Amino acid sequence: MTTGLDQLRDLRKRGLLEKAYDQVAGVLAQEGPGGARADTAAVGRLLAGLDPGAVLSHHPATPVVTVAVTGQSTVGQVLDPLRGELARHGLLLRAVLGEHGTYLRDLTDPAGELHTAAPDLTLCLLDAETVFEQVPGVWRPEDVEAAAADVLARCAALADAAPGTLVLNTLPLPWTYSRQLIDHRSRARLGAVWREFNARLLRLTERSPAPVVIDLDPLVAEGGPVTDPALARYAKVRLGAPLLAGYAREVAHLARALRGATRKCLVLDLDHTLWDGVLAEEGPDGIAAAGTLRGEAFGAFQTCVRQLASQGVLLAVSSKNDPAEVARVLADHPDLVLREGDFVAVNANWDPKDGNLADIARRLDLGTDALVFADDSPAERAQVRHGLPEVAVVPLDGEPATHVARLLADGWFDVPSLTEEDRARNGQYRALGERRKLREGSGSHEEFLRALDVRLETGPPQPHEAARIAQLTLRTNQFNLAGGGLTEAAVAEVAADAGRQVLVARCSDRFGDNGLVGAALITEAAGQWHLDNLWISCRVLGRGVEHAFLAVLLSRARRHGLTAVGARHVPTARNHRARDLYPSCGFVARELPEPGEHGDGTSAYLHDLLVLPGIPGHICVTESGKAPR
C-alpha cells in the first residue's frame, strides 16, 4: 500500500514538491492501516529541502507561519516534526533558530535575529536544567525551591519582552534528580516544590494574554521517557524525540487556532460511533451505550462529545438510517447521554454523506471547512474526503475504547481562550432554526426583518471582551474586509495606543442574544479615521447589521469632528461577500497611497462624511451612553 510519505517522496523525486504543496495536506490526511497517519518528523525531514519562495510562487495564498525557536538546551530537533505537523494543516513553516543556551539573549535583544524576524510564535523550550543549573553542587529541596522561584520570575519578565506569541512549557522532572535524594521525605518535598513551580508557570497565562504554556506532563505520560541519556549528556538534547513530536503537534494546533482556523461543528455518525450496534438491523433494543463492556465505551465517547458541546462545539448527525427511528432513539433510549436537543442538525437518510455534510454546513451558514466528521466506516470517510476534501475526518474503528483519543488527537476545536459566547453557541444556533421558521412563514424578507426585532448596541469594548474580539477577528472569514485578525495580546496593545481603537457591535433579536458580533479596528491621524479592518460574524449576515454598524461608525466620526474616513478591501478566498459594503454606504474609490505595491486586488475608499448613510429601519441602535435612535 502506497503511503502519504511515499507519495511525497515521489513528488520530490520528480521535482514537483513545491508545485504540489497545495496537495500535501490532503496526501497526509490519507489513512494508513488501522487509520494510522504519517510520521510527521519523517515528513518534516522530507519537506526541509523545500524552497519556500518556490512554494509561494506557485501558491501565493499559502499561509506562512514564522516560528522562532530557542531554549535552554539543543532544541533544533523540534523543527522536523513541527514542519510536518504544520504541513498537515496546509501551513508553511518559516523557522528562525536561536543558538544553544542563549534563550535569555534571544528573547530580550530587540536587535537580535529572533526579534527582527517578527515571528508569529516564539518557542522557548525549557527543561529541568533551567532550574538545576542554578542550584549548588550539593543541594537540598530548599535550594531547588529558591532556583525555581528565580526561573519563574524570569519567565514572567520574558512573557512581556518576547516577540510574537511566546510559548513556554512545563518542566518534566527526571527521576535521576529525585533519586539523588535518598530519603523519601526529601523526595516528596522535591516533588511538591517541582509541581508547585509548574503550576505557577501554567498560571502565567492568567496574568497576561501574551504567553502560552504547554503542559508536557500529559505528553510524557503518553510518550514514555523524557529524554535519551546519551543525547542529553553529549549533545545537550534534553527533550527526546517522542516528547518533541507531541510538543510539535500541540504547537501546530496553536498556530492553526491563532490563524482562526478552528473548526466549529462536529458531525457524527450513529451506528458503531455513538452507540454499539446497527439501528436499522437490530432495532432500538439491539443498540447499547451502557450496560455492556463495549456499550460503556460508547457511553464514555458520548460524555466526551457532550463536554466539547458545553464549550461551544456544535454537534450534528449524518447517519444512514430511518429519520423517524433516529428521532425516537434520541428522544428516549435509556443508554444515551446525548439527546436530540444537543444537536443543531440531524440528517438521517440514505443519501451520500458528503451531500449531507454540505447540507448541514448550508443550514448553519458555515463553510464546509468548519466541519469535523467522525465515522467508523472507512468507505464513508473516503467518500467524504473525496467529495469534501476540506472537511476534517476523524478515523474511528471497531474498537470504541479508542474513540475518545482519536477524536481529541488533532485538537480541531482548540482556541486560545474560551468566551461566554462560546458556551452559549449551541443555544444561538438552535435559535437560528427558529429564525429560519420565522423567515419561511413571512410574506417577504422585509416582513421577516421587521418581525425579527433586531437590536444593535455599539461602542468601545468592555475589558473582559478582549478574548471574544480576538476570537471574532481570527475566525471570521466571510465578512473580514481586509483579511487577518487580532490576537488577544494585539487587542491589548491597541487599547494602550492613543492613536488606535477598537469599536464593537453587540446584537440581539426576539429569539435571543447573539453577543458581540462585530468589530472595527480604527487608526486616527491627521483629522481622519482609517478603518484598518471590519469584521461581522456570519451568524448575523443578511439582517442589515453590517450596514447599521458602518453607518454608526461614520456618524460617530463626524460627531467627533473628523473630516473623512478611509478604508480598504483586501480580497481573500472567502470575503467576496463583503466587497460591496463600502461603496453601498457612500464610500468613493480612490487611488492607493502606495501605487504598484498591491498586486492582490486591494481597493481603497474614502468617505467625506457629508452625506451619511441611514440606519436600516428595522434595526434599533443604541450607542454606548446614548439613547436608542
Side-chain angles (χ1 to χ4, degrees):
M1 178 179 180
T2 302
T3 67
L5 191 56
D6 292 333
Q7 294 179 54
L8 295 184
R9 288 187 179 121
D10 181 63
L11 288 170
R12 183 182 66 175
K13 182 178 179 180
R14 292 188 288 145
L16 298 175
L17 199 48
E18 286 92 352
K19 186 175 182 179
Y21 194 79
D22 62 330
Q23 302 173 31
V24 170
V27 168
L28 296 178
Q30 297 174 12
E31 297 175 30
R37 65 190 196 98
D39 177 353
T40 50
V43 171
R45 285 191 293 273
L46 181 69
L47 298 177
L50 282 177
D51 177 357
V55 172
L56 294 173
S57 69
H58 290 293
H59 309 288
T62 302
V64 178
V65 181
T66 301
V67 181
V69 183
T70 186
Q72 173 70 32
S73 58
T74 303
V75 295
Q77 287 77 4
V78 76
L79 292 181
D80 283 340
L82 180 58
R83 186 180 295 108
E85 290 288 353
L86 290 173
R88 291 184 63 238
H89 301 295
L91 306 174
L92 182 64
L93 173 65
R94 174 178 173 250
V96 183
L97 184 62
E99 297 180 15
H100 171 269
T102 61
Y103 73 96
L104 289 176
R105 185 191 70 192
D106 290 341
L107 298 182
T108 57
D109 180 6
E113 185 181 11
L114 266 68
H115 275 260
T116 57
D120 302 297
L121 294 172
T122 296
L123 312 184
C124 182
L125 280 150
L126 304 179
D127 55 70
E129 194 62 24
T130 309
V131 173
F132 275 97
E133 71 171 2
Q134 297 185 213
V135 304
V138 175
W139 53 272
R140 296 181 177 183
E142 293 77 11
D143 299 311
V144 176
E145 185 171 21
D150 289 342
V151 170
L152 187 71
R154 190 186 309 153
C155 289
L158 290 174
D160 298 322
T165 297
L166 177 63
V167 182
L168 299 168
N169 58 273
T170 59
L171 280 56
L173 177 64
W175 68 269
T176 52
Y177 280 114
S178 61
R179 294 297 177 87
Q180 291 180 39
L181 300 172
I182 62 174
D183 68 292
H184 287 279
R185 188 179 298 276
S186 293
R187 288 181 188 173
R189 171 68 175 153
L190 176 62
V193 165
W194 204 261
R195 285 164 177 78
E196 288 164 3
F197 162 69
N198 276 331
R200 292 173 67 191
L201 189 61
L202 289 164
R203 289 189 180 278
L204 287 179
T205 60
E206 298 175 3
R207 182 186 68 88
S208 166
V212 173
V213 182
I214 293 178
D215 189 356
L216 296 189
D217 276 358
L219 304 182
V220 172
E222 287 292 318
V226 172
T227 190
D228 176 278
L231 286 174
R233 180 60 57 195
Y234 301 126
K236 303 296 188 285
V237 179
R238 300 193 184 99
L239 299 176
L243 183 56
L244 288 178
Y247 171 87
R249 172 174 271 206
E250 296 299 314
V251 172
H253 298 170
L254 173 63
R256 188 185 61 207
L258 289 175
R259 296 191 70 88
T262 297
R263 306 283 172 144
K264 298 178 181 179
C265 180
L266 173 59
V267 184
L268 296 153
D269 177 43
L270 294 178
D271 296 331
H272 295 310
T273 295
L274 276 194
W275 56 60
D276 193 20
V278 178
L279 178 61
E281 296 176 2
E282 302 166 70
D285 293 336
I287 64 173
T292 68
L293 286 176
R294 283 178 56 86
E296 294 291 342
F298 286 98
F301 180 67
Q302 290 195 35
T303 299
C304 171
V305 169
R306 192 179 187 189
Q307 170 69 10
L308 295 177
S310 73
Q311 299 164 87
V313 176
L314 304 175
L315 304 182
V317 166
S318 177
S319 173
K320 289 189 173 178
N321 262 305
D322 178 78
E325 281 294 303
V326 168
R328 281 193 289 272
V329 168
L330 292 178
D332 56 26
H333 196 285
D335 288 0
L336 299 193
V337 174
L338 296 170
R339 295 296 179 188
E340 188 169 16
D342 293 308
F343 299 96
V344 294
V346 176
N347 277 19
N349 52 50
W350 303 99
D351 298 333
K353 289 199 174 182
D354 59 340
N356 270 311
L357 266 65
D359 176 68
I360 289 169
R362 179 188 58 77
R363 287 160 58 189
L364 299 178
D365 201 12
L366 297 174
T368 49
D369 60 355
L371 305 182
V372 176
F373 173 59
D375 197 308
D376 69 295
S377 167
E380 298 290 2
R381 298 195 300 265
Q383 196 268 330
V384 168
R385 282 197 181 98
H386 176 76
L388 295 173
E390 66 278 8
V391 171
V393 177
V394 176
L396 305 180
D397 61 16
E399 178 47 77
T402 66
H403 281 12
V404 170
R406 286 174 177 263
L407 174 62
L408 301 179
D410 275 307
W412 292 115
F413 307 108
D414 289 3
V415 293
S417 58
L418 201 65
T419 68
E420 289 307 311
E421 281 87 351
D422 289 324
R423 299 185 188 280
R425 184 175 294 120
N426 275 280
Q428 292 169 350
Y429 273 84
R430 280 191 287 274
L432 185 65
E434 296 300 318
R435 294 185 187 96
R436 185 178 294 109
K437 291 178 183 177
L438 175 64
R439 183 170 62 245
E440 291 169 353
S442 299
S444 66
H445 187 63
E446 291 72 20
E447 180 183 332
F448 160 69
L449 292 176
R450 287 194 298 271
L452 196 54
D453 189 22
V454 179
R455 296 180 174 270
L456 194 69
E457 178 192 350
T458 68
Q462 299 298 317
H464 70 273
E465 292 178 318
R468 170 56 185 161
I469 294 169
Q471 184 184 80
L472 172 72
T473 63
L474 289 168
R475 297 177 69 172
T476 296
N477 297 309
Q478 294 184 48
F479 232 85
N480 181 334
L481 271 293
L486 301 170
T487 64
E488 194 172 343
V491 174
E493 290 175 7
V494 171
D497 187 339
R500 305 175 78 200
Q501 63 176 311
V502 171
L503 294 175
V504 301
R506 307 172 192 87
C507 183
S508 62
D509 59 34
R510 63 182 286 184
F511 295 107
D513 188 356
N514 288 291
L516 194 154
V517 297
L521 176 62
I522 301 167
T523 298
E524 182 174 345
Q528 296 186 2
W529 270 2
H530 189 275
L531 297 181
D532 299 325
N533 210 342
L534 183 73
W535 301 268
I536 301 291
S537 169
C538 62
R539 294 202 310 267
V540 296
L541 294 182
R543 304 179 207 169
V545 170
E546 61 273 24
H547 292 90
F549 186 31
L550 190 51
V552 172
L553 293 176
L554 294 172
S555 176
R556 192 182 190 101
R558 187 163 76 174
R559 253 192 344 266
H560 282 72
L562 300 170
T563 59
V565 174
R568 289 188 186 191
H569 174 245
V570 181
T572 69
R574 297 285 302 279
N575 73 354
H576 57 88
R577 190 172 178 179
R579 65 188 172 203
D580 296 326
L581 176 65
Y582 290 135
S584 70
C585 290
F587 282 78
V588 176
R590 63 188 180 102
E591 290 188 8
L592 289 163
E594 307 91 3
E597 292 188 9
H598 298 271
D600 55 4
T602 295
S603 301
Y605 298 95
L606 189 72
H607 199 294
D608 59 15
L609 301 180
L610 296 179
V611 179
L612 299 180
I615 294 171
H618 65 277
I619 298 179
C620 178
V621 173
T622 301
E623 291 190 67
S624 296
K626 296 183 178 295
R629 39 184 293 201

